[in-house]
Amino acid sequence: MIDIEIKNVYKGYDNDKNILKGINLKVKKGELITLLGPSGCGKTTLLKMLNKLIELDEGDILIKGKSIKVWNTIKLRRSIGYVIQQIGLFPHMTIKDNINYVLTITKADKGYKEKRAKELIELVGLKKELLDRYPSQLSGGQKQRIGVARALAGNPDIILMDEPFSAVDEIARNRLQDELKIIHTKLKKTIIFVTHDIDEALKLGTRIVIMKDGKIEQSGTKEELIFSPKTKFIKEFIGIKGFKTILNENDIKNIYAKLINIS
């Protein structure tokens, strides 16, 4: 089943006519797609088009087989989880109320909200005791986990994540990445994850989509990108970092030794 289909999408602005140049992409249900590429390649613009935060100029995007041109904007956004780098937790609300924000505005039952908040905070690896605290009482990594929990509260089939872990320290980031992989394995949600970090993209993505200058340069598994790069840009962009994600240090040394004919 195809959850998202992007069909020949173009986007430009007055000062730059070519942000996106004919993007075509199909995302199957349950995939974790990482959008990767240098700054200005259009990956965040593309992500924001999926819930109509940015309108497309040409082409179409189908969500669950339905064009976003006919989707009610509010219903579309409530049906898609969204996690951003800045987290966006409401400082005057408890963690429980932050998690349940979408359920509150959709008038969900109070008992269900209580149950859901407890389920989700444990799912993201935090203790239920935190539910009565406020965002200012949490660390950066904890806040990011709450952001993920909030995105899951309405049980969306699709979750959009825009560089959600880039503002936390490396240790917290690695833990958040591991937690996201566990959540994805458990829930089988369709996730589109924007990142500029090669290691993160290769670690998380069931498929990696690399963009350059408003176009998709190559899409595939990390093995396909590392061992079968289609362009010089892909080969240079992935480089040795790609090998490090799938090979240990000794394997890398052996490969290099063979390449320079000294083994």
Side-chain angles (χ1 to χ4, degrees), residues 122-254:
E122 291 187 335
L123 182 66
V124 298
L126 296 175
K127 296 180 180 180
K128 290 184 287 185
E129 288 75 13
L130 295 179
L131 287 171
D132 293 323
R133 294 188 186 180
Y134 289 85
S136 61
Q137 297 173 294
L138 271 58
S139 69
Q142 288 173 326
K143 290 176 185 177
Q144 285 295 168
R145 289 170 186 255
I146 298 303
V148 174
R150 183 175 61 184
L152 292 166
N155 198 27
D157 291 325
I158 299 170
I159 301 171
L160 309 179
M161 308 185 80
D162 190 5
E163 300 201 46
F165 307 150
S166 60
V168 298
D169 63 80
E170 186 176 354
I171 293 174
R173 185 172 187 162
N174 285 328
R175 288 174 179 169
L176 286 162
Q177 292 167 352
D178 292 340
E179 207 69 48
L180 180 62
K181 289 184 71 173
I182 292 169
I183 289 170
H184 179 253
T185 300
K186 286 182 178 178
L187 303 182
K188 302 298 183 184
K189 301 291 184 183
T190 301
I191 300 174
I192 311 294
F193 189 108
V194 166
T195 181
H196 65 274
D197 185 277
I198 295 170
D199 292 334
E200 184 168 67
L202 297 176
K203 177 180 179 178
L204 293 177
T206 57
R207 182 157 54 110
I208 301 97
V209 176
I210 300 182
M211 296 180 64
K212 177 179 179 284
D213 298 331
K215 296 181 178 180
I216 292 176
E217 193 81 358
Q218 187 172 342
S219 171
T221 65
K222 62 183 178 183
E223 288 82 9
E224 288 170 338
L225 294 172
I226 293 166
F227 294 112
S228 303
K230 291 183 177 180
T231 66
K232 181 180 178 181
F233 170 77
I234 296 294
K235 184 177 182 180
E236 294 177 348
F237 188 70
I238 296 297
I240 190 62
K241 282 194 173 185
F243 283 99
K244 285 182 177 178
T245 66
I246 59 174
L247 300 171
N248 62 43
E249 187 175 348
N250 287 330
D251 288 331
I252 295 171
K253 288 179 180 179
N254 289 335

